[in-house]
């Protein structure tokens, strides 16, 4: 890039093989001074715009950028463009201006780079370095700009250093951007992390909530398509466990993941990692800590098998396995760019742990380092290096045509002829011949490195998973077992044996799969609906991040396989949870897993969670420990619901006890963290549980209705508000272990408009004098979950005072009826299976109970939190007739039982058409009917009766 002459000057020859004058209309649309400036190079530009219409459109959009190329050298023009990008990050007044500036600079860069490449001013390393430098600048500008805007809104601290706008936060580039080898229309792979110790943010901002929002805003700036185009398509999926983690992770969380779960492909990905924006010192410290993961001191020949499996998988997909120019994928196809990258990466992974000299990222430099070490001979390195440059050059020309992220040579001759012309070939046949020769040459070198091309599959008994098509014996075996779609089942098993899913990419996993497959299909056949069981198992298996551990467990624990198939068949929601967290299979082997919930010692879960959290030395560790244990225990409860060993009351109480303990210990963790950040606690607090939590009727996916009440003077509001936000985050913010619960604080006085933490004196005053009837009804289920015992006693007294205050009976009933009507209009039942919201459903019974408790409490009626207990109390005192109470109690048991089963197995989206026969049998048995039609009739009858009782007991006169 040292040329000081203008980029477009002198006698630039047109691209070969193209007719002149194809773009006269385009030049006519340019301003006169631009036409004049480009007159001497018009034949060259005419051929370029004919071969690559995208470049012609850029010239029309940014004519001044085209003119600048006739006045500045390529290097000077690039530096000016990069400076414009950095200025945009520090000077633009708002997001729209930042987005526009970056998109215009991207258009200028794209036109500059293409012209420098096609004119021969730059070679492949120059081109990829220029695009990569622009990507770095764009990410830096987007980060700087959005931190500035956030600081103006009080969400971050004022920017002191534009190069490090938010200390502690940093961004890595991976993939081609990480090696400085971005192609012309490349996506960019980013990983954003923060160092909790170095992070500087306002005290009232929670990093795990604020930083992901900041990163999402940065990504929108980079990739959203506007009238000005886009900057870069951005991929954040190379972070740890992207399906279940936020887009910005703490360094501790990331390191813990790689230490526990990191895979060979992730090691290969981090070879290419490079800091690109944010806190450079924190980024380097993190990368230093990653070195033992990336570079193993022991010779890592096991990694070769993983890389080989991925390579063969890529090559054998459709046309990629063939070598012919038309339609060939120059990146992933046989003999393509990926084979050269793998050729370099495998010996890097093997030898890099002991020899730092091979720890270089760019592919060409990696090949040179391997030659210097004597791992690869000089002739092979020279051949692969030259071919790599050619492949990357052709890749760029494919992309210049329409700015598409493609590496596939066009199928149509006329389109491929344009690529050939941009590559300097006047004749398509000569270009195709050179392409085919190069691909075969590269694949020859690659095959020499991976000459042991053994089959990825194995066989067990008569279930042979290998081959291009199933053997007649294998199909006969599957059909005998009852599979109606034996050929489709075999095809999927064959794909697994070939390593085409993440869980089966290692040789060990494929060996285990071949050994256990016959047992699995036998268990599926035993369910009575093997095709459905297989589909459920496939959804589970194909979503596993890794397969060796779960397959080993299934091999060594025959009973576990049967339990697993049963859960997968009946409970798709739990199956999805298992796929995301296969480590929960370990929990099923715990001796207490199958012990009925009613036999658990008192406070057993609370004791175990307390011990686990107490052993944690950091706030984040406590959050992760709680998430793991809560997830495992909720899974245990769900399994017992599915098996029928836990009824509605037992399950609701168990889920609620889990939540009670989680709230208690997360409140303690939040208290310590708030004190660390904001000083000692200026008072005392209690946490109230309301709704289903207060009534001990939680189900598998219930959120938590909470209220935080504190006792302190006027100055304590700020501290307890921060504590409340910290507690909400501790319960709901996702970490690498997921989240705990969705939290709803809207039942507090004044709802969203009120403070998130309520002062005790204000609580008592509000509910005694100001509360709406529906708020008092909600208060009948209020239960103290955690906090200071002294506050708890005062809070209970305040609740009792509010609920026992005498109010006009008819007014209370009228208010309750009006509220029920509003709920029916605003939140009607989604389906007939929504037993909570449908007319005559659970909400009707809850309204009867809560309203009658409210109007009789002044006369000594003892308030009960749960619906069933309240019905019994109202019957004993004669408020509800004994027969009516018995019918309502039986209906509550049915409704809650159905809700527990549906929520545990299907979540909120139950559709009988997609349910297994085993599940349907469990569901209809609850109502003591034979089939779904009988269940519909039974529910309709119950709902009519419940609504009639609602009208009678809540009659207004």
């Amino acid at each position: 890039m040292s040329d000081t002459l203008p980029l477009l000057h002198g006698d630039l020859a047109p691209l070969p093989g193209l007719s002149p004058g194809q773009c006269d209309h385009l030049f006519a649309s340019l301003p006169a001074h631009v036409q004049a400036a480009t007159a001497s190079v018009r034949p060259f530009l005419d051929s370029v715009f004919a071969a690559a219409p995208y470049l012609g459109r850029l010239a029309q959009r940014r004519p001044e950028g085209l003119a600048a190329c006739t006045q500045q050298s390529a290097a000077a023009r690039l530096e000016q463009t990069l400076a414009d990008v950095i200025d945009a990050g520090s000077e633009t007044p708002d997001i729209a201006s930042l987005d526009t500036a970056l998109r215009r600079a991207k258009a200028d860069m794209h036109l500059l780079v293409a012209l420098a490449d096609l004119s021969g001013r730059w070679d492949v390393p120059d081109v990829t370095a220029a695009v990569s430098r622009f990507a770095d600048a764009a990410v830096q500008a987007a980060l700087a700009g959005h931190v500035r805007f956030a600081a103006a809104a009080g969400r971050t601290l004022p920017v002191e250093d534009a190069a490090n706008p938010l200390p502690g936060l940093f961004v890595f580039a991976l993939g081609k951007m990480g090696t400085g080898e971005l192609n012309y229309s490349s996506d960019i792979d980013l990983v954003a992390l923060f160092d909790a110790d170095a992070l500087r943010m306002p005290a009232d901002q929670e990093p795990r909530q604020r930083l992901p929002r900041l990163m999402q805003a940065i990504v929108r700036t980079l990739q959203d398509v506007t009238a000005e185009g886009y900057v870069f398509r951005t991929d954040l999926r190379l972070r740890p466990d992207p399906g279940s983690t936020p887009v910005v992770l703490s360094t501790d969380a990331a390191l813990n993941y790689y230490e526990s779960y990191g895979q060979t492909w992730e090691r290969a990905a981090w070879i290419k990692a490079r800091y690109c924006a944010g806190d450079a010192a924190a980024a380097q410290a993190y990368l230093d800590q990653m070195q033992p993961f990336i570079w193993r001191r022991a010779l890592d020949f096991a990694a070769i098998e993983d890389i080989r499996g991925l390579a063969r998988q890529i090559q054998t997909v459709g046309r990629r396995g063939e070598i012919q120019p038309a339609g060939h994928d120059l990146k992933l196809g046989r003999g393509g760019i990926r084979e050269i990258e793998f050729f370099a990466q495998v010996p890097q992974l093997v030898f890099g742990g002991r020899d730092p000299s091979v720890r270089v990222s760019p592919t060409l430099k990696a090949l040179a380092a391997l030659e210097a070490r004597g791992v690869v001979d000089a002739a092979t390195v020279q051949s692969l290096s030259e071919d790599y440059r050619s492949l990357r050059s052709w890749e760029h020309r494919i992309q210049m045509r329409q700015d598409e992220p493609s590496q596939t040579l066009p199928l149509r001759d006329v389109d491929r002829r344009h690529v050939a012309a941009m590559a300097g070939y006047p004749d398509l046949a000569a270009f195709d011949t050179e392409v085919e020769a190069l691909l075969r040459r590269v694949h020859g070198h690659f095959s020499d490195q991976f000459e042991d091309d053994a089959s990825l599959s194995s066989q067990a008994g008569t279930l042979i998973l290998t081959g291009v098509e199933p053997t007649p014996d294998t199909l006969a075996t599957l059909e005998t077992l009852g599979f109606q779609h034996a050929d489709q089942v075999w095809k999927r098993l064959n794909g697994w044996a070939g390593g085409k899913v993440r869980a089966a990419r290692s040789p060990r996993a494929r060996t285990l799969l071949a050994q256990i497959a016959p047992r699995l299909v036998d268990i599926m056949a035993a369910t009575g609906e093997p095709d459905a069981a297989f589909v459920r198992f496939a959804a589970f298996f194909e979503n596993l991040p890794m397969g060796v551990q779960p397959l080993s467990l299934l091999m060594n624990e025959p009973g576990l396989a049967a339990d697993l198939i049963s859960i997968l068949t009946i409970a798709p929601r739990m199956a999805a949870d298992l796929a995301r967290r296969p480590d929960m299979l370990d929990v099923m082997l715990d001796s207490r897993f199958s012990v009925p919930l009613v036999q658990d010692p008192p406070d057993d879960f609370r004791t175990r969670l307390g011990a686990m959290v107490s052993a944690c030395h950091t706030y984040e560790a406590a959050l992760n420990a709680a998430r793991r244990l809560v997830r495992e225990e909720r899974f245990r409860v769900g399994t017992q619901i599915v098996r029928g060993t836990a009824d509605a009351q037992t399950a609701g109480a168990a889920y609620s006890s889990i939540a009670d303990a989680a709230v208690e210990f997360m409140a303690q963790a939040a208290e310590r963290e708030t004190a660390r950040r904001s000083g000692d606690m200026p008072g005392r607090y209690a946490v109230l549980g309301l709704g289903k939590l207060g009534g001990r009727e939680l189900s598998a996916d219930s959120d938590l209705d909470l209220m935080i009440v504190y006792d302190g003077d006027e100055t304590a509001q700020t501290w307890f508000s921060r504590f409340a936000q910290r507690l909400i985050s501790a319960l709901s913010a996702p970490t690498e272990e997921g989240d705990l619960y969705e939290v709803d604080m809207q039942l507090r006085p004044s709802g969203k408009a009120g403070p998130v933490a309520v002062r005790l004196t204000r609580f008592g005053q509000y509910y005694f004098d100001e509360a709406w009837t529906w708020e008092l009804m909600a208060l009948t289920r209020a239960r103290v979950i955690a906090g200071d015992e002294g506050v708890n006693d005062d809070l209970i007294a305040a609740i009792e005072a509010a609920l026992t205050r005498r109010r006009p009976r008819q007014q209370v009933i009228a208010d309750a009826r009006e509220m029920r009507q509003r709920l029916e209009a605003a939140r009607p039942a989604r389906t007939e299976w929504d037993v909570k919201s449908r007319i005559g459903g659970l909400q009707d019974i809850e309204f009867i109970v809560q309203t009658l408790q409210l109007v009789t409490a002044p006369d000594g009626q003892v308030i009960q939190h749960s619906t069933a207990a309240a019905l019994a109390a109202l019957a004993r005192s004669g408020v509800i007739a004994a027969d009516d109470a018995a019918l309502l109690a039986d209906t509550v048991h049915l409704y809650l039982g159905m809700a527990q089963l549906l929520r545990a197995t299907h979540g909120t989206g139950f559709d009988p058409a997609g349910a297994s026969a085993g599940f349907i049998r469990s569901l209809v048995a609850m109502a003591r009917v034979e089939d779904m039609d009988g269940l519909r009739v039974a529910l309709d009858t119950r709902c009519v009766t419940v609504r009639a009782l609602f009208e009678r007991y809540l009659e207004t006169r």
Side-chain angles (χ1 to χ4, degrees), residues 174-214:
L174 278 77
K176 290 288 196 297
M177 184 178 174
T179 61
E181 298 176 304
L182 277 181
N183 56 50
Y184 187 75
S185 295
S186 184
D187 301 354
I188 59 175
D189 295 300
L190 303 178
V191 173
L193 302 167
F194 71 92
D195 183 331
D197 293 330
L199 190 67
R200 294 180 56 232
M201 290 189 70
D204 63 347
Q205 295 295 311
E206 171 54 53
R208 291 167 189 80
Q209 293 179 336
R210 178 56 53 199
L211 296 183
R213 294 172 187 167
L214 174 67

Side-chain angles (χ1 to χ4, degrees), residues 709-737:
V709 182
Y710 70 92
D711 185 18
D713 60 24
E714 293 82 354
T715 64
Q717 177 67 58
T718 299
W719 195 98
F720 282 104
S721 292
R722 290 175 180 173
F723 162 74
Q725 294 290 355
R726 196 77 61 190
L727 174 57
I728 295 170
S729 175
L731 290 167
S732 61
T735 71
E736 67 266 29
E737 292 289 348

Side-chain angles (χ1 to χ4, degrees), residues 693-849:
L693 175 60
R696 297 185 63 78
E697 295 170 355
L698 286 184
S699 58
D701 58 356
S702 295
D703 59 8
L704 303 186
D705 291 303
L706 298 178
M707 190 186 306
I708 297 170
V709 182
Y710 70 92
D711 185 18
D713 60 24
E714 293 82 354
T715 64
Q717 177 67 58
T718 299
W719 195 98
F720 282 104
S721 292
R722 290 175 180 173
F723 162 74
Q725 294 290 355
R726 196 77 61 190
L727 174 57
I728 295 170
S729 175
L731 290 167
S732 61
T735 71
E736 67 266 29
E737 292 289 348
D739 57 11
L740 279 173
Y741 295 97
E742 290 293 323
V743 175
D744 190 340
M745 305 285 287
Q746 295 186 63
L747 291 180
R748 67 186 187 271
S750 304
K752 290 182 179 179
V756 70
V758 184
R759 193 176 178 189
L760 179 59
T761 53
R762 174 58 182 155
F763 176 92
Q765 176 191 9
Y766 180 85
Y767 278 101
F768 193 82
D769 293 326
E770 304 172 35
W772 296 89
T773 297
W774 69 265
E775 292 177 299
L776 294 168
M777 292 168 61
L779 201 62
T780 64
R781 310 195 80 180
R783 184 168 57 85
V784 176
I785 304 298
D788 184 273
E789 290 186 4
V791 179
N792 295 352
D793 293 340
D794 293 342
L795 185 55
I796 292 170
I799 293 171
E800 183 177 348
L803 294 179
T804 57
R805 180 185 177 185
R806 193 171 298 279
R807 295 171 175 84
R809 177 186 179 94
Q810 287 304 306
Q811 184 60 54
V812 171
I813 291 176
D815 290 346
R817 290 178 64 91
E818 180 184 1
M819 186 62 189
R820 181 67 182 110
Q821 290 170 0
R822 288 184 181 180
L823 280 176
E824 289 172 15
R827 300 178 184 176
R830 294 178 296 274
T831 69
E832 62 187 312
W833 310 111
D834 185 354
V835 293
K836 172 185 175 182
S837 301
R838 64 180 291 181
I839 294 173
L842 189 58
Q843 281 183 345
D844 273 10
I845 302 176
E846 291 172 346
F847 266 71
I848 294 171
V849 167

Side-chain angles (χ1 to χ4, degrees), residues 535-695:
V535 168
R536 305 276 194 198
F537 181 83
F540 161 74
F541 186 71
E542 291 172 358
N543 279 294
L544 288 174
M546 57 191 76
V548 171
Q549 181 185 18
L551 287 172
S552 297
L553 281 172
L554 295 175
M555 274 291 297
N556 295 315
E557 298 289 339
L560 178 61
D563 285 345
L564 175 63
I565 297 297
S566 174
I567 290 172
L568 297 180
T569 303
I570 292 176
R573 179 183 181 276
M574 295 174 67
D577 290 342
L578 276 172
R580 285 191 296 269
R581 300 284 182 178
D583 54 303
M584 286 197 294
L585 287 174
D586 292 343
V587 182
M588 298 176 68
L589 299 177
D590 192 310
S591 59
R592 63 182 299 278
F593 184 79
S594 297
V595 174
L597 297 173
V598 294
Q599 296 180 18
D600 285 350
D603 284 338
D604 175 61
F605 178 77
R606 179 179 176 276
T607 302
R608 290 188 295 117
L609 180 61
M612 183 172 287
V613 171
S614 297
C616 297
H617 299 297
T618 67
Y619 176 62
E620 185 169 77
L623 266 58
N624 285 328
R627 280 153 172 75
R628 282 192 297 273
L629 195 60
V630 167
R631 179 173 62 244
E632 292 170 359
E633 192 68 8
R634 290 166 79 178
F635 181 70
R636 176 187 175 223
V637 176
T639 301
Q640 296 207 18
I641 293 171
V642 169
R643 291 173 173 172
T645 56
D647 62 14
Q649 183 176 353
T650 302
Y655 280 130
S656 300
S657 294
I658 296 169
D660 287 356
V663 171
E664 176 184 354
F665 292 111
M666 290 301 93
Q668 293 175 10
E671 177 187 332
R672 291 191 294 270
E673 183 70 4
T674 307
R676 185 179 72 84
R677 290 172 174 252
S678 303
D680 292 341
M681 179 171 60
R684 307 172 301 167
Y685 71 88
V687 182
L688 274 181
L690 299 99
K692 294 293 185 186
L693 175 60

Side-chain angles (χ1 to χ4, degrees), residues 481-486 488-489 492 496 520-521 523-525 527-540 564-572 575 913-919:
L481 289 170
F483 288 91
Q484 299 298 309
H485 306 287
Q488 297 178 25
V489 171
R492 214 156 180 176
W496 298 350
L520 291 176
V521 295
I523 295 171
M524 293 172 192
T527 67
E529 42 186 343
D531 289 281
F534 180 79
V535 168
R536 305 276 194 198
F537 181 83
F540 161 74
L564 175 63
I565 297 297
S566 174
I567 290 172
L568 297 180
T569 303
I570 292 176
S916 69
F919 174 81

Side-chain angles (χ1 to χ4, degrees), residues 139 143 168-175 177-178 188-194 215 219 222 234-242 245-251 253-255 257-258 265-266 269-270 272-279 283 286-287 290:
V139 175
L143 174 62
L169 176 68
F170 50 91
V171 183
F172 280 111
L174 278 77
M177 184 178 174
I188 59 175
D189 295 300
L190 303 178
V191 173
L193 302 167
F194 71 92
M215 194 63 197
V219 170
L222 292 173
T234 305
D235 194 336
L236 303 178
R237 292 175 297 174
L238 290 183
R239 69 185 187 275
D241 196 10
T245 57
V247 295
V248 182
L249 282 171
S250 72
T251 52
L255 291 168
Y257 168 84
Y258 290 121
W265 72 265
E266 289 171 309
W270 276 92
K272 300 180 178 182
R274 178 177 59 83
Y275 156 82
C276 71
D279 191 328
Y286 171 79
L287 202 55
M290 280 286 286

Side-chain angles (χ1 to χ4, degrees), residues 124-125 128 175-182 268 271-272 336-348 358-371 376 380-382 384-389 391-392 395 442:
V124 168
T128 57
K176 290 288 196 297
M177 184 178 174
T179 61
E181 298 176 304
L182 277 181
I271 288 177
K272 300 180 178 182
I337 295 168
R338 183 58 57 85
E339 288 193 358
I340 301 177
E341 292 172 342
F342 281 170
F343 188 98
Q345 280 186 332
V346 168
Q348 278 188 296
V358 302
R359 301 178 187 178
V360 290
S361 298
T363 302
L364 294 177
K365 291 182 179 180
L367 288 169
L370 293 169
E371 177 190 347
V376 184
T380 299
V381 168
Q382 180 179 356
L384 287 174
S385 298
E386 292 174 355
D387 290 344
Y388 183 78
R389 291 188 182 92
L391 286 166
R392 294 302 304 275
E395 172 190 44
V442 168

